[in-house]
Amino acid sequence: RCDLRNTLRERLWLSGFCCGSPFGLSGKGHVYTVVGVSESRAFRVLWALEELDIPYEHRPSRPPTLDSRARDRANKAPVMIEDGETLTDPIAIVQYLADKHGGLTHPAGTLARLRQDSLTHLILEELEGPLWDAARHSVILPQILRSPSVFESLLWEYSRALQRISEKISPKAWLAGDRFTVPDIMLVHCILWASLADFPKPPASLAAYLLRVKGRDAFRRLIAKGSAQVGDCLLYTSLS
């Protein structure tokens, strides 16, 4: 295993931690403008837009020159601009798009939606949580507050949670049932993020699920556009 701290330092942008100087961004010309490199959590928003078949403008930017005043106070990317409004938090954005355009989600007020939202929160807390904590103790926190001793426990937490989540996926189905939904996008992106941070690989039980993901038209379109390329065809190799 390569050194986790060095790996995270080199690839921190995948978690969407960006900062920089504003240049102003109007978001005009398209209903939606997504700002942030596609290898970051912007991938979630871009993928959702592709799944919903909605035209958008993508303005990739990397630290330290995020080309927008549209960034939240924690300097996290991505952001999406709609009608001059700056929207932050990729999962909130993805769920908003799903609700607005009637895709990637079960209807609000149903038990199926309750189960879907439960999975979304589970992934946020138990998969993305360890990935963010590893990044914090690698490069985000002041040096004096970093604790290298947490890395082994974070690897264990992530691996255990991923195994639990994989057991919720039935053969030939998606995470929240027979419909591809928001938590599927979250799960796959966390697996990709983890692959760059030297976290444990997904269990063999997820192989068929990940192959189905690779076959989705929206996913293929996103790859064809050059989005989410880390090195040479990372998304394909990490989902093999």
Side-chain angles (χ1 to χ4, degrees):
R1 179 186 297 165
C2 61
D3 188 283
L4 177 61
R5 287 166 290 175
N6 290 338
T7 302
L8 285 167
R9 181 173 294 109
E10 294 168 0
R11 308 235 174 84
L12 180 61
W13 40 261
L14 207 158
S15 67
F17 184 83
C18 299
C19 58
S21 301
F23 285 80
L25 182 63
S26 66
K28 294 180 179 179
H30 291 78
V31 174
Y32 303 115
T33 299
V34 180
V35 184
V37 291
S38 55
E39 296 91 344
S40 75
R41 295 180 304 161
F43 176 69
R44 301 172 179 180
V45 179
L46 296 170
W47 188 0
L49 288 165
E50 290 288 346
E51 290 282 352
L52 295 166
D53 199 21
I54 302 170
Y56 62 90
E57 178 184 7
H58 178 213
R59 298 196 180 183
S61 57
R62 293 181 181 274
T65 57
L66 181 60
D67 65 335
S68 172
R69 55 190 166 84
R71 63 188 195 276
D72 65 9
R73 293 180 180 178
N75 286 329
K76 295 177 182 177
V79 299
M80 187 178 78
I81 298 173
E82 178 186 6
D83 295 333
E85 292 289 328
T86 298
L87 312 174
T88 62
D89 190 289
I91 292 309
I93 293 170
V94 170
Q95 188 60 61
Y96 163 74
L97 291 170
D99 288 332
K100 182 175 181 178
H101 296 281
L104 295 176
T105 188
H106 292 284
T110 64
L111 290 175
R113 177 60 176 270
L114 183 150
R115 288 189 287 269
Q116 173 191 315
D117 290 345
S118 175
L119 288 164
T120 296
H121 289 290
L122 177 65
I123 294 167
L124 270 174
E125 294 169 5
E126 301 197 19
L127 288 186
E128 184 170 292
L131 291 166
W132 261 115
D133 284 343
R136 289 187 184 96
H137 286 279
S138 223
V139 292
I140 299 175
L141 291 174
Q143 186 72 44
I144 193 172
L145 297 178
R146 298 176 194 172
S147 177
S149 63
V150 305
F151 291 118
E152 287 302 319
S153 66
L154 295 175
L155 293 171
W156 180 85
E157 288 179 25
Y158 173 87
S159 181
R160 180 171 175 267
L162 186 57
Q163 180 62 48
R164 286 178 52 210
I165 291 171
S166 71
E167 293 169 358
K168 296 179 179 292
I169 303 175
S170 302
K172 300 182 180 179
W174 300 106
L175 190 54
D178 60 0
R179 182 180 303 181
F180 186 86
T181 58
V182 172
D184 289 293
I185 289 177
M186 287 191 59
L187 173 61
V188 175
H189 180 257
C190 281
I191 290 173
L192 295 173
W193 177 357
S195 73
L196 286 186
D198 202 30
F199 270 62
K201 294 181 179 180
S205 58
L206 281 177
Y209 169 83
L210 294 175
L211 283 174
R212 293 200 302 277
V213 169
K214 285 177 61 174
R216 294 189 66 81
D217 290 342
F219 188 88
R220 291 180 178 274
R221 287 198 304 269
L222 199 52
I223 299 304
K225 291 179 179 180
S227 296
Q229 288 187 352
V230 183
D232 294 327
C233 301
L234 169 69
L235 291 182
Y236 284 107
T237 57
S238 62
L239 292 179
S240 62

